[in-house]
Amino acid sequence: MARASKKESKVVHELKEWGKALVYALVFGTIIRLFMFETMMVPTESMVPTIDPGDRLFVEKVTYQFKEPDYGDIVVFWAPFVDKSALEMLGPFDKFMDLFSPKAFKGHVKYVKRLVGKPGDTIELRVAPEFKNIEDEILSMPHDDQPHYQLYVNGLVLPQLAERRYSREAIFADKDFYLGLAHPDKVYSIYNEFFKYYQRYLDYASYYDSVLSPLDLRKYIWQDPSTKSIKINIPEGFYFFMGDNTGNSFDSRFFGFVPRENIVGEPMLRIWELSRFGPLKEKE
């Protein structure tokens, strides 16, 4: 009888120890998840071929807490507005992981794009050298959804972005684009149908009214009278991101500047699909 009692006590002791280990693992795992790492599912083609739709990424959060991202870095950030269509694409795993998100971003999704503009920069798109022979034809279009353009930052082509080509859409085609996306009734634009369509999927007006409008965007976005190109100055505390797959990327051209506090971190590992598991590598 004593032997059975002793054996039972040992089992209870083992169960308690396993229980403690599980609690410690959950506590430390949660701490690591909150302060060091993040996960995200990529729902769109905006960063093809480096990142494919459906990829799940492991995101390192520490580095950008001590330094700002550099030009050309692929960065994960919280969308500064509610994107209902992207929310519908999240799976149960993604929704569970987002339960740990900061209160300010509850109901938001994470985007992943490439950093092309920092606070204080002035950026513009110019026809890329290989298209100079048809420059007049290209510039005569009200907007151009083909990657005919190269990005200039403070009048220069940066080495990190020299090989990237972009389409002249949204804010680079219409300096009032952000206002139109928020309040379609206040502008007359070539994008009026686009504005009405996206009203169903984005809660953008609240972000525009609370964050962008108080900046007085006329001070930051203007059309150069000599070149007719639209120039954008990035306000302090904000960044400008664009996707590599320019014709299929909903990025800062469409929704505007991203606040510094929205930046999550740098994707370092693809964890799904398993056939492509491994470090995230740049592709051309």
Side-chain angles (χ1 to χ4, degrees):
M1 191 74 168
R3 185 178 297 177
S5 179
K6 188 176 181 180
K7 186 176 181 180
E8 184 178 332
S9 297
K10 186 176 181 180
V11 171
V12 171
H13 175 75
E14 287 292 327
L15 289 174
K16 286 182 177 179
E17 290 302 310
W18 276 105
K20 289 180 184 178
L22 181 60
V23 170
Y24 291 150
L26 288 172
V27 169
F28 286 111
T30 301
I31 291 173
I32 290 172
R33 166 65 179 78
L34 287 174
F35 298 104
M36 299 182 67
F37 296 104
E38 182 79 49
T39 61
M40 77 165 294
M41 189 276 284
V42 182
T44 71
E45 301 177 342
S46 68
M47 288 299 293
V48 169
T50 304
I51 303 172
D52 287 342
D55 280 355
R56 281 188 171 84
L57 307 178
F58 202 53
V59 183
E60 184 266 306
K61 299 170 63 173
V62 177
T63 299
Y64 292 151
Q65 293 180 19
F66 298 98
K67 74 179 189 76
E68 70 172 354
D70 200 4
Y71 300 107
D73 283 359
I74 298 176
V75 179
V76 173
F77 57 92
W78 289 103
F81 47 85
V82 173
D83 183 338
K84 301 171 190 174
S85 61
L87 278 172
E88 292 175 356
M89 298 179 190
L90 299 183
F93 173 80
D94 310 295
K95 292 177 181 177
F96 171 75
M97 297 303 286
D98 282 350
L99 291 175
F100 299 95
S101 62
K103 184 178 180 180
F105 303 120
K106 293 292 184 183
H108 291 230
V109 296
K110 293 179 284 286
Y111 286 172
V112 57
K113 314 288 180 188
R114 194 176 297 274
L115 176 69
V116 301
K118 297 183 183 182
D121 287 341
T122 297
I123 62 175
E124 65 177 313
L125 293 178
R126 301 179 190 174
V127 176
E130 64 267 29
F131 299 111
K132 285 295 183 180
N133 60 320
I134 56 170
E135 182 174 6
D136 290 341
E137 179 183 341
I138 292 172
L139 292 177
S140 67
M141 303 176 187
H143 68 93
D144 184 8
D145 60 2
Q146 298 302 310
H148 291 143
Y149 298 84
Q150 193 168 30
L151 186 76
Y152 281 70
V153 181
N154 301 321
L156 302 172
V157 175
L158 301 182
Q160 303 95 316
L161 303 171
E163 302 305 316
R164 306 286 167 190
R165 297 294 181 265
Y166 301 100
S167 58
R168 179 173 57 90
E169 294 188 276
I171 199 62
F172 286 110
D174 181 350
K175 61 184 177 59
D176 294 318
F177 185 91
Y178 300 151
L179 172 61
L181 186 60
H183 302 288
D185 56 315
K186 292 186 178 181
V187 300
Y188 179 76
S189 169
I190 55 175
Y191 288 104
N192 275 108
E193 291 304 315
F194 178 96
F195 297 152
K196 293 174 185 176
Y197 177 82
Y198 270 90
Q199 287 288 303
R200 294 180 288 176
Y201 300 106
L202 304 178
D203 182 14
Y204 181 76
S206 57
Y207 173 66
Y208 178 88
D209 293 341
S210 63
V211 178
L212 296 185
S213 182
L215 293 172
D216 189 1
L217 293 180
R218 292 171 297 180
K219 297 189 299 185
Y220 296 98
I221 303 169
W222 70 96
Q223 189 169 39
D224 188 316
S226 59
T227 64
K228 305 300 181 185
S229 69
I230 290 175
K231 294 186 176 182
I232 301 169
N233 180 247
I234 317 298
E236 289 300 320
F238 293 86
Y239 294 83
F240 202 94
F241 295 93
M242 291 205 283
D244 293 349
N245 188 14
T246 186
N248 287 284
S249 178
F250 188 72
D251 51 37
S252 285
R253 292 171 301 167
F254 293 88
F255 56 73
F257 311 121
V258 176
R260 177 68 177 86
E261 57 266 27
N262 287 52
I263 291 178
V264 175
E266 180 179 14
M268 58 180 294
L269 187 70
R270 182 185 287 105
I271 59 177
W272 186 265
E273 296 181 356
L274 290 178
S275 60
R276 304 176 66 232
F277 181 91
L280 203 65
K281 296 179 181 179
E282 293 276 3
K283 296 179 183 178
E284 295 297 332

